[in-house]
Amino acid sequence: AMPKPQGFEFWKTTLKGARYIVAPMVDQSELAWRLLSRRHGAQLCYTPMLHAQVFVRDANYRRENLYNEACPEDRPLIAQFCANDPEVFVQAALLAQDYCDAIDLNLGCPQMIAKRASSFLGHYGAFLQEEWDLLRKMISMANEKISVPITCKIRVFPEIDKTVKYAKMLEEAGCQLLTVHGRTKEQKGALTGVASWEHIKAVRKAVGIPMFANGNIQYLSDVHQCIEETGVEGVMIAEGNLHNPALFEGRSPPVWEMAEEYLEVVHQHPCSLSYVRAHLFKLWHHTLQIHQELREELAKVKTIAGMAQVSQELKKRCQEELANQVEGEKPAGGLLYPHWICQPYVRPGPKDVQCENGKSTALAKSVCVKRALEVTEGSSEFLSKNKQKKKARNPNKNFSLEQKPKYIKCEQCGNPKGNKCVFSLCRGCCKKKSYKEMADCPGHGLLFKTKYEKSLKWNSGLAEGQVNGERREDTATERDRSEGDPVA
């Protein structure tokens, strides 16, 4: 077999020196969206994050998420997996290697599902960044056994020095290309904040493999500025791409242009209805803040044709506004362009509130705001839409954290422990421990020891029965011989 390309050779030949990259996005970077992005300047795309364990055991999952999406126009392509077991990661990579140009290990997902060690699909992404021995084993094993290069996507530590050591460890383990998202795992949702290009720049100077930067990209000018300031080989975008697929072209086209083109691609390469709905919500985000009734309609329709009709109605209304627009009038809502133009969505910053402990940092303010929203009662304007629906179904429901029952945490994973568990663990951790130690936990209804002892008694009973049966047969044979005709 030909030796696989490594490092800069891999980036220059296999990835064709890609500088404009579309990030792996769960339920969002499907084939149709990748092809649309490639039409408008993207040079490299990633699959959505795939669960290695599910990919190994479920043939339908493999077909739906990778095999059936094989397309000559969709290359170069990197398949991304989340995993926490070296053997499972290698098995998944072996099953995927013929359908992509590299395998990426997700070490950047900051969502809560990635943190839950007790969850069947949890414990991955950014929550593995402290487990260096495990990561070293996963990457080195995959690098040895699969025929395409291994890459990694990470988030940074608060400390630049630790981030640099982390990146160098991954490189030494066998990582051939590194993507660095310049935010910590805590920077998400209301705490997203600004990505640190200083961290990315320090890592770029320290490692000898190609690097992509991720974070703070809203326009093509940001891409060029990031490459110039950090020295990276390419820039990866996620949310900016969802709001403007033509970002890498340096254009901000009308939303309906991108929406109609995307629906055409979907017609050629069908995908889940939920993916299409999510993309239209992102593209029409600013317009849907104005036309709320069409937002509700888009959420309800059950067919692609129905979504196309809603998109056409939005287009019609926007064109009417455009025809009646007064020259020189500033866009509403603090936008740079009119709401019907593709442009980034800027997350609102935390309000300036007084924290109890007197801290004044942006992080502290964000935490205070989040906490204030969680404990506020009365007015529904402080509740999320999901909580408002729950409140409508049950007017007596209270979302105050202070009045929630206090649970004792599991000693291993932090989930609520079972009240009657003999090990003081949650059911998931208790089941693992009971199975490993062959013990019982009546509180969780786990009787591994009891069942094992019963099986031993059952097997010994069967063996004793067989012995007794053989003895009876021998006795009967001897009796027959003694009573039989000697001559015969």
Side-chain angles (χ1 to χ4, degrees):
M2 291 287 291
K4 58 186 175 185
Q6 298 182 346
F8 280 94
E9 181 192 358
F10 160 63
W11 174 67
K12 291 176 182 177
T13 57
T14 307
L15 302 186
K16 302 175 183 176
R19 288 189 174 273
Y20 300 155
I21 302 100
V22 174
M25 296 175 283
V26 175
D27 296 342
Q28 296 280 264
S29 57
E30 82 287 354
L31 175 61
W33 189 259
R34 297 198 300 266
L35 293 176
L36 177 70
S37 300
R38 291 179 189 276
R39 289 184 183 182
H40 296 282
Q43 298 167 338
L44 170 64
C45 293
Y46 284 63
T47 67
M49 183 193 73
L50 305 173
H51 288 273
Q53 196 164 16
V54 181
F55 195 84
V56 169
R57 75 159 194 254
D58 192 335
N60 287 332
Y61 185 80
R62 294 196 293 271
R63 284 193 293 269
E64 292 172 4
N65 292 279
L66 187 62
Y67 294 177
N68 289 352
E69 291 199 341
C71 178
E73 299 87 33
D74 189 35
R75 303 298 279 266
L77 176 70
I78 296 180
Q80 188 189 68
F81 287 96
C82 66
N84 56 26
D85 183 297
E87 295 289 346
V88 173
F89 179 51
V90 170
Q91 290 177 42
L94 289 170
L95 290 168
Q97 64 182 3
D98 294 335
Y99 297 86
C100 59
D101 298 290
I103 300 294
D104 186 77
L105 177 60
N106 182 331
L107 300 176
C109 180
Q111 303 306 322
M112 286 308 298
I113 181 62
K115 182 179 181 180
R116 296 173 189 160
S118 62
S119 170
F120 170 66
L121 296 177
H123 192 49
Y124 62 82
F127 297 96
L128 294 180
Q129 66 179 18
E130 296 285 0
E131 301 185 37
W132 291 19
D133 290 339
L134 172 63
L135 296 180
R136 190 179 288 111
K137 185 176 181 181
M138 290 175 68
I139 295 167
S140 60
M141 277 185 62
N143 187 46
E144 290 173 6
K145 296 186 178 182
I146 71 171
S147 61
V148 295
I150 293 294
T151 69
C152 297
K153 184 175 187 290
I154 67 171
R155 284 194 170 223
V156 300
F157 290 95
E159 308 85 6
I160 291 181
D161 289 348
K162 188 172 183 180
T163 304
V164 169
K165 291 178 182 177
Y166 180 43
K168 292 179 74 172
M169 179 275 293
L170 296 175
E171 179 187 9
E172 291 167 3
C175 175
Q176 301 302 319
L177 183 146
L178 186 65
T179 300
V180 180
H181 186 165
R183 293 184 175 92
T184 64
K185 69 178 185 294
E186 291 76 25
Q187 288 182 272
K188 59 182 179 179
L191 306 178
T192 296
V194 178
S196 171
W197 286 0
E198 287 300 315
H199 282 71
I200 297 173
K201 182 179 180 179
V203 174
R204 171 63 281 170
K205 289 181 178 179
V207 299
I209 54 177
M211 247 185 70
F212 297 152
N214 183 211
N216 300 348
I217 305 299
Q218 296 181 344
Y219 299 97
L220 183 60
S221 58
D222 298 327
V223 175
H224 296 152
Q225 183 181 353
C226 181
I227 292 175
E228 183 179 348
E229 290 189 14
T230 63
V232 294
E233 280 61 50
V235 171
M236 176 184 286
I237 62 170
E239 196 161 3
N241 165 260
L242 295 177
H243 288 279
N244 182 11
L247 186 152
F248 285 136
E249 291 181 319
R251 293 196 307 125
S252 295
V255 173
W256 58 80
E257 180 184 316
M258 293 292 98
E260 289 173 356
E261 187 175 357
Y262 172 61
L263 291 171
E264 288 177 9
V265 180
V266 169
H267 183 71
Q268 299 168 7
H269 303 277
C271 62
S272 170
L273 196 69
S274 62
Y275 300 174
V276 181
R277 195 192 313 276
H279 281 302
L280 292 179
F281 267 118
K282 288 285 187 182
L283 288 171
W284 286 110
H285 173 82
H286 301 295
T287 301
L288 290 173
Q289 307 307 306
I290 300 170
H291 301 287
Q292 290 286 338
E293 72 282 5
L294 290 179
R295 180 185 182 87
E296 298 296 329
E297 186 66 25
L298 183 59
K300 292 177 182 177
V301 291
K302 304 294 185 182
T303 63
I304 300 293
M307 292 182 186
Q309 289 178 358
V310 175
S311 188
Q312 282 298 316
E313 180 61 26
L314 286 165
K315 174 183 177 181
K316 179 183 175 182
R317 295 192 185 187
C318 289
Q319 289 180 333
E320 289 174 356
E321 288 184 46
L322 178 60
N324 298 324
Q325 188 178 23
V326 178
E327 187 176 351
E329 183 181 2
K330 290 185 177 180
L335 299 176
L336 185 62
Y337 304 112
H339 61 80
W340 57 80
I341 297 296
C342 288
Q343 56 193 303
Y345 165 65
V346 180
R347 295 179 184 275
K351 296 178 182 178
D352 190 8
V353 298
Q354 183 66 38
C355 296
E356 293 178 4
N357 57 8
K359 291 183 179 180
S360 59
T361 63
L363 180 62
K365 290 179 182 177
S366 299
V367 172
C368 291
V369 169
K370 187 176 182 182
R371 204 168 285 159
L373 292 178
E374 288 174 340
V375 301
T376 301
E377 299 181 52
S379 176
S380 62
E381 67 179 291
F382 294 104
L383 299 178
S384 67
K385 287 188 177 181
N386 190 34
K387 288 183 178 178
Q388 288 180 37
K389 290 178 182 178
K390 291 181 180 178
K391 191 84 172 175
R393 290 194 297 267
N394 180 9
N396 297 322
K397 190 160 183 69
N398 190 351
F399 296 100
S400 172
L401 293 178
E402 294 177 355
Q403 297 183 23
K404 285 187 176 181
K406 303 296 182 183
Y407 294 106
I408 301 175
K409 293 183 177 181
C410 168
E411 295 177 357
Q412 293 186 4
C413 69
N415 286 327
K417 84 172 188 70
N419 290 331
K420 298 180 180 180
C421 179
V422 297
F423 300 116
S424 296
L425 302 174
C426 68
R427 180 175 175 79
C429 296
C430 177
K431 188 174 183 180
K432 293 178 183 177
K433 186 176 180 67
S434 300
Y435 178 77
K436 185 176 181 179
E437 299 182 4
M438 200 55 65
D440 287 348
C441 177
H444 279 125
L446 303 172
L447 304 174
F448 291 107
K449 181 180 178 181
T450 301
K451 291 179 179 179
Y452 178 68
E453 290 175 348
K454 284 184 177 180
S455 68
L456 290 179
K457 289 180 180 178
W458 174 262
N459 292 333
S460 62
L462 287 177
E464 186 176 344
Q466 290 176 355
V467 171
N468 292 335
E470 290 174 358
R471 286 176 180 172
R472 286 194 294 271
E473 289 178 3
D474 293 342
T475 302
T477 302
E478 291 175 3
R479 186 172 61 249
D480 292 342
R481 287 177 179 174
S482 62
E483 294 176 357
D485 187 354
V487 178

